[in-house]
Amino acid sequence: MLIGIPPILGPELLATLRAMGHTDEIALVDGNYPALEHARRLIRADGHDLLSVLDAVLQVTPVDDFVDEAIFRSSVKGDPALSDPVHAEIEAICARRAPGRSITPLAGADFYARVKSAHTVVATSEPRLYANVIVRKGVIYP
């Protein structure tokens, strides 16, 4: 155990978050997402829901503030105009942990392509559909 580090962040995920550089992206995906097929690097977060993992990741990871869009989410049936109740919960966590940052909904194919190019994919056990988010890492200012 470490002081100030959420215990949900295991050694592999902590090492990955530390190793990621500015502009690298991490995808947190639900239990239905084809994570193994899409991941360059895969970390399993079995038994954990997406919201808990997202909250923990955002406690220790800066969000990129060099760009307008640094947090992305999947959309219902691939339509960015549609949202699901889980998206409001994702937005609430992001508003608390990354204030002032908006979340960009992506069409299905665009979201999949972005996940495939992500530094790492974290596969959660989240049962809800469309509970997928990508965070672009920023910098920690001196």
Side-chain angles (χ1 to χ4, degrees), residues 21-34:
H22 176 234
T23 76
D24 281 341
E25 294 182 351
I26 188 162
L28 312 175
V29 299
D30 64 39
N32 287 296
Y33 193 91

Side-chain angles (χ1 to χ4, degrees), residues 16 71 76 108 118:
T16 297
I71 305 173
V76 177

Side-chain angles (χ1 to χ4, degrees), residues 37-68:
E37 185 67 26
H38 287 189
R40 292 171 40 202
R41 293 173 195 85
L42 177 65
I43 296 175
R44 306 243 12 129
D46 297 315
H48 299 293
D49 64 280
L50 180 110
L51 298 174
S52 298
V53 175
L54 175 62
D55 187 58
V57 165
L58 290 178
Q59 286 181 56
V60 299
T61 307
V63 175
D64 193 353
D65 61 359
F66 288 21
V67 294
D68 292 333

Side-chain angles (χ1 to χ4, degrees), residues 14 19 22-23 33 63 69 81 90 95 115 127 134:
L14 277 173
H22 176 234
T23 76
Y33 193 91
V63 175
E69 298 176 337
I90 289 169
V115 171
I134 300 168

Side-chain angles (χ1 to χ4, degrees), residues 30-32 49 51 84-86 89 125-132:
D30 64 39
N32 287 296
D49 64 280
L51 298 174
D84 195 73
V86 72
E89 295 174 57
S125 292
E126 177 62 55
R128 292 180 288 179
L129 302 178
Y130 313 113
N132 306 296

